[in-house]
mmCIF file of all heavy atoms in Angstrom:
data_model
loop_
_atom_site.group_PDB
_atom_site.id
_atom_site.type_symbol
_atom_site.label_atom_id
_atom_site.label_comp_id
_atom_site.label_asym_id
_atom_site.label_seq_id
_atom_site.Cartn_x
_atom_site.Cartn_y
_atom_site.Cartn_z
ATOM 1 N N ARG A 1 0.839 -1.231 -0.030
ATOM 2 C CA ARG A 1 0.029 -0.008 0.020
ATOM 3 C C ARG A 1 0.841 1.201 -0.034
ATOM 4 O O ARG A 1 0.353 2.357 -0.415
ATOM 5 C CB ARG A 1 -0.966 -0.025 1.163
ATOM 6 C CG ARG A 1 -0.301 0.140 2.510
ATOM 7 C CD ARG A 1 -1.195 0.455 3.668
ATOM 8 N NE ARG A 1 -2.105 -0.669 3.901
ATOM 9 C CZ ARG A 1 -3.369 -0.684 3.818
ATOM 10 N NH1 ARG A 1 -3.932 0.464 3.307
ATOM 11 N NH2 ARG A 1 -4.112 -1.707 4.034
ATOM 12 N N GLN A 2 2.040 1.198 0.416
ATOM 13 C CA GLN A 2 2.990 2.334 0.564
ATOM 14 C C GLN A 2 3.946 2.355 -0.681
ATOM 15 O O GLN A 2 4.817 1.509 -0.740
ATOM 16 C CB GLN A 2 3.729 2.369 1.818
ATOM 17 C CG GLN A 2 4.652 3.584 1.982
ATOM 18 C CD GLN A 2 5.420 3.548 3.335
ATOM 19 O OE1 GLN A 2 4.817 3.010 4.399
ATOM 20 N NE2 GLN A 2 6.613 4.002 3.322
ATOM 21 N N PRO A 3 3.867 3.343 -1.517
ATOM 22 C CA PRO A 3 4.797 3.458 -2.618
ATOM 23 C C PRO A 3 6.230 3.813 -2.148
ATOM 24 O O PRO A 3 6.398 4.455 -1.069
ATOM 25 C CB PRO A 3 4.236 4.582 -3.437
ATOM 26 C CG PRO A 3 3.389 5.419 -2.535
ATOM 27 C CD PRO A 3 2.790 4.448 -1.599
ATOM 28 N N LEU A 4 7.219 3.311 -2.845
ATOM 29 C CA LEU A 4 8.556 3.674 -2.563
ATOM 30 C C LEU A 4 9.015 3.248 -1.239
ATOM 31 O O LEU A 4 9.917 3.961 -0.596
ATOM 32 C CB LEU A 4 8.848 5.153 -2.863
ATOM 33 C CG LEU A 4 8.491 5.625 -4.280
ATOM 34 C CD1 LEU A 4 8.656 7.052 -4.431
ATOM 35 C CD2 LEU A 4 9.276 4.815 -5.340
ATOM 36 N N ARG A 5 8.480 2.280 -0.685
ATOM 37 C CA ARG A 5 8.854 1.756 0.701
ATOM 38 C C ARG A 5 10.301 1.350 0.680
ATOM 39 O O ARG A 5 10.716 0.539 -0.174
ATOM 40 C CB ARG A 5 7.947 0.728 1.217
ATOM 41 C CG ARG A 5 8.167 0.391 2.745
ATOM 42 C CD ARG A 5 7.460 -0.903 3.068
ATOM 43 N NE ARG A 5 6.010 -0.876 2.958
ATOM 44 C CZ ARG A 5 5.119 -0.583 3.909
ATOM 45 N NH1 ARG A 5 5.656 -0.345 5.046
ATOM 46 N NH2 ARG A 5 3.833 -0.630 3.662
ATOM 47 N N ALA A 6 11.124 1.837 1.628
ATOM 48 C CA ALA A 6 12.543 1.548 1.596
ATOM 49 C C ALA A 6 12.869 0.090 1.894
ATOM 50 O O ALA A 6 13.790 -0.491 1.325
ATOM 51 C CB ALA A 6 13.245 2.474 2.582
ATOM 52 N N VAL A 7 12.094 -0.495 2.884
ATOM 53 C CA VAL A 7 12.445 -1.885 3.308
ATOM 54 C C VAL A 7 11.073 -2.720 3.035
ATOM 55 O O VAL A 7 10.077 -2.239 3.424
ATOM 56 C CB VAL A 7 12.733 -1.914 4.751
ATOM 57 C CG1 VAL A 7 12.976 -3.410 5.135
ATOM 58 C CG2 VAL A 7 13.920 -1.089 4.981
ATOM 59 N N VAL A 8 11.176 -3.841 2.425
ATOM 60 C CA VAL A 8 10.035 -4.699 2.226
ATOM 61 C C VAL A 8 9.358 -5.036 3.500
ATOM 62 O O VAL A 8 9.979 -5.180 4.518
ATOM 63 C CB VAL A 8 10.412 -5.995 1.453
ATOM 64 C CG1 VAL A 8 10.943 -5.718 0.017
ATOM 65 C CG2 VAL A 8 11.385 -6.852 2.198
ATOM 66 N N THR A 9 8.020 -5.199 3.392
ATOM 67 C CA THR A 9 7.258 -5.606 4.598
ATOM 68 C C THR A 9 6.642 -6.926 4.355
ATOM 69 O O THR A 9 6.372 -7.348 3.229
ATOM 70 C CB THR A 9 6.118 -4.611 4.748
ATOM 71 O OG1 THR A 9 5.310 -4.933 5.916
ATOM 72 C CG2 THR A 9 5.219 -4.390 3.593
ATOM 73 N N THR A 10 6.622 -7.651 5.491
ATOM 74 C CA THR A 10 6.041 -9.031 5.511
ATOM 75 C C THR A 10 4.595 -9.000 6.081
ATOM 76 O O THR A 10 4.035 -10.069 6.160
ATOM 77 C CB THR A 10 6.900 -10.011 6.294
ATOM 78 O OG1 THR A 10 6.950 -9.621 7.568
ATOM 79 C CG2 THR A 10 8.302 -10.004 5.665
ATOM 80 N N THR A 11 4.236 -7.860 6.404
ATOM 81 C CA THR A 11 2.903 -7.743 7.150
ATOM 82 C C THR A 11 1.712 -7.759 6.176
ATOM 83 O O THR A 11 1.681 -6.873 5.232
ATOM 84 C CB THR A 11 2.798 -6.368 7.949
ATOM 85 O OG1 THR A 11 3.972 -6.342 8.878
ATOM 86 C CG2 THR A 11 1.541 -6.358 8.668
ATOM 87 N N ARG A 12 0.892 -8.724 6.387
ATOM 88 C CA ARG A 12 -0.255 -8.976 5.395
ATOM 89 C C ARG A 12 -1.088 -7.708 5.241
ATOM 90 O O ARG A 12 -1.507 -7.327 4.109
ATOM 91 C CB ARG A 12 -1.124 -10.061 5.962
ATOM 92 C CG ARG A 12 -2.326 -10.325 5.190
ATOM 93 C CD ARG A 12 -3.071 -11.502 5.784
ATOM 94 N NE ARG A 12 -4.507 -11.566 5.444
ATOM 95 C CZ ARG A 12 -5.461 -12.361 5.867
ATOM 96 N NH1 ARG A 12 -4.925 -13.253 6.909
ATOM 97 N NH2 ARG A 12 -6.600 -12.386 5.501
ATOM 98 N N SER A 13 -1.359 -7.051 6.296
ATOM 99 C CA SER A 13 -2.294 -5.820 6.291
ATOM 100 C C SER A 13 -1.701 -4.659 5.514
ATOM 101 O O SER A 13 -2.387 -3.729 5.203
ATOM 102 C CB SER A 13 -2.709 -5.369 7.692
ATOM 103 O OG SER A 13 -1.490 -4.995 8.404
ATOM 104 N N GLU A 14 -0.405 -4.714 5.174
ATOM 105 C CA GLU A 14 0.259 -3.648 4.411
ATOM 106 C C GLU A 14 0.103 -3.883 2.876
ATOM 107 O O GLU A 14 0.507 -3.122 2.096
ATOM 108 C CB GLU A 14 1.703 -3.544 4.714
ATOM 109 C CG GLU A 14 1.981 -2.992 6.134
ATOM 110 C CD GLU A 14 1.510 -1.643 6.258
ATOM 111 O OE1 GLU A 14 1.764 -0.730 5.479
ATOM 112 O OE2 GLU A 14 0.634 -1.447 7.189
ATOM 113 N N TYR A 15 -0.567 -4.981 2.460
ATOM 114 C CA TYR A 15 -0.778 -5.301 1.201
ATOM 115 C C TYR A 15 -2.264 -5.174 0.746
ATOM 116 O O TYR A 15 -3.139 -5.521 1.535
ATOM 117 C CB TYR A 15 -0.235 -6.689 0.789
ATOM 118 C CG TYR A 15 1.244 -6.837 0.856
ATOM 119 C CD1 TYR A 15 1.921 -7.098 1.960
ATOM 120 C CD2 TYR A 15 1.990 -6.559 -0.398
ATOM 121 C CE1 TYR A 15 3.243 -7.125 2.037
ATOM 122 C CE2 TYR A 15 3.393 -6.727 -0.291
ATOM 123 C CZ TYR A 15 4.002 -6.917 0.899
ATOM 124 O OH TYR A 15 5.351 -6.990 0.945
ATOM 125 N N VAL A 16 -2.444 -4.641 -0.375
ATOM 126 C CA VAL A 16 -3.802 -4.444 -0.873
ATOM 127 C C VAL A 16 -3.918 -5.002 -2.249
ATOM 128 O O VAL A 16 -3.039 -5.432 -2.864
ATOM 129 C CB VAL A 16 -4.124 -2.882 -0.848
ATOM 130 C CG1 VAL A 16 -4.117 -2.391 0.563
ATOM 131 C CG2 VAL A 16 -3.134 -2.132 -1.718
ATOM 132 N N TYR A 17 -5.215 -4.893 -2.750
ATOM 133 C CA TYR A 17 -5.525 -5.354 -4.097
ATOM 134 C C TYR A 17 -5.124 -6.876 -4.382
ATOM 135 O O TYR A 17 -4.400 -7.127 -5.288
ATOM 136 C CB TYR A 17 -4.840 -4.427 -5.181
ATOM 137 C CG TYR A 17 -5.289 -3.033 -5.135
ATOM 138 C CD1 TYR A 17 -4.433 -1.970 -4.862
ATOM 139 C CD2 TYR A 17 -6.621 -2.706 -5.269
ATOM 140 C CE1 TYR A 17 -4.759 -0.674 -4.872
ATOM 141 C CE2 TYR A 17 -7.068 -1.338 -5.199
ATOM 142 C CZ TYR A 17 -6.168 -0.374 -4.972
ATOM 143 O OH TYR A 17 -6.635 0.989 -4.968
ATOM 144 N N TRP A 18 -5.528 -7.690 -3.562
ATOM 145 C CA TRP A 18 -5.199 -9.094 -3.709
ATOM 146 C C TRP A 18 -5.896 -9.644 -4.976
ATOM 147 O O TRP A 18 -6.972 -9.225 -5.347
ATOM 148 C CB TRP A 18 -5.715 -9.888 -2.538
ATOM 149 C CG TRP A 18 -5.198 -9.486 -1.239
ATOM 150 C CD1 TRP A 18 -5.653 -8.647 -0.315
ATOM 151 C CD2 TRP A 18 -3.876 -9.935 -0.803
ATOM 152 N NE1 TRP A 18 -4.803 -8.573 0.699
ATOM 153 C CE2 TRP A 18 -3.679 -9.274 0.418
ATOM 154 C CE3 TRP A 18 -2.884 -10.795 -1.338
ATOM 155 C CZ2 TRP A 18 -2.565 -9.479 1.255
ATOM 156 C CZ3 TRP A 18 -1.741 -10.982 -0.481
ATOM 157 C CH2 TRP A 18 -1.584 -10.430 0.752
ATOM 158 N N GLY A 19 -5.258 -10.634 -5.617
ATOM 159 C CA GLY A 19 -5.828 -11.320 -6.816
ATOM 160 C C GLY A 19 -6.769 -12.406 -6.250
ATOM 161 O O GLY A 19 -6.954 -12.574 -5.091
ATOM 162 N N GLN A 20 -7.145 -13.238 -7.188
ATOM 163 C CA GLN A 20 -8.071 -14.336 -6.818
ATOM 164 C C GLN A 20 -7.251 -15.630 -6.371
ATOM 165 O O GLN A 20 -7.916 -16.529 -5.861
ATOM 166 C CB GLN A 20 -8.893 -14.680 -8.077
ATOM 167 C CG GLN A 20 -8.324 -15.595 -9.097
ATOM 168 C CD GLN A 20 -7.073 -15.020 -9.876
ATOM 169 O OE1 GLN A 20 -6.922 -13.784 -9.881
ATOM 170 N NE2 GLN A 20 -6.317 -15.809 -10.480
ATOM 171 N N GLY A 21 -6.007 -15.603 -6.469
ATOM 172 C CA GLY A 21 -5.175 -16.654 -6.116
ATOM 173 C C GLY A 21 -5.043 -17.816 -7.189
ATOM 174 O O GLY A 21 -5.900 -17.871 -8.168
ATOM 175 N N THR A 22 -4.018 -18.571 -7.048
ATOM 176 C CA THR A 22 -3.755 -19.662 -7.914
ATOM 177 C C THR A 22 -3.402 -20.907 -7.044
ATOM 178 O O THR A 22 -2.515 -20.809 -6.111
ATOM 179 C CB THR A 22 -2.678 -19.376 -8.987
ATOM 180 O OG1 THR A 22 -2.528 -20.491 -9.865
ATOM 181 C CG2 THR A 22 -1.310 -19.086 -8.332
ATOM 182 N N GLN A 23 -3.996 -22.069 -7.326
ATOM 183 C CA GLN A 23 -3.841 -23.250 -6.495
ATOM 184 C C GLN A 23 -2.578 -23.938 -6.826
ATOM 185 O O GLN A 23 -2.270 -24.284 -8.044
ATOM 186 C CB GLN A 23 -4.988 -24.181 -6.734
ATOM 187 C CG GLN A 23 -4.975 -25.525 -6.040
ATOM 188 C CD GLN A 23 -4.989 -25.396 -4.455
ATOM 189 O OE1 GLN A 23 -5.957 -24.804 -3.945
ATOM 190 N NE2 GLN A 23 -4.120 -26.002 -3.727
ATOM 191 N N VAL A 24 -1.736 -24.231 -5.780
ATOM 192 C CA VAL A 24 -0.561 -25.105 -6.061
ATOM 193 C C VAL A 24 -0.758 -26.328 -5.210
ATOM 194 O O VAL A 24 -0.995 -26.272 -3.941
ATOM 195 C CB VAL A 24 0.649 -24.337 -5.568
ATOM 196 C CG1 VAL A 24 1.888 -25.264 -5.496
ATOM 197 C CG2 VAL A 24 0.945 -23.126 -6.498
#
């Protein structure tokens, strides 16, 4: 959700616009 974030985040709530998923 945050553009140009300096360090990657592993926090799920920081991600938006999820796709429908693909089954593995």
Side-chain angles (χ1 to χ4, degrees):
R1 67 169 68 244
Q2 180 180 326
L4 303 177
R5 191 191 297 265
V7 179
V8 296
T9 177
T10 64
T11 304
R12 175 183 160 186
S13 60
E14 291 298 305
Y15 289 87
V16 293
Y17 297 121
W18 298 99
Q20 82 292 343
T22 185
Q23 176 71 48
V24 171

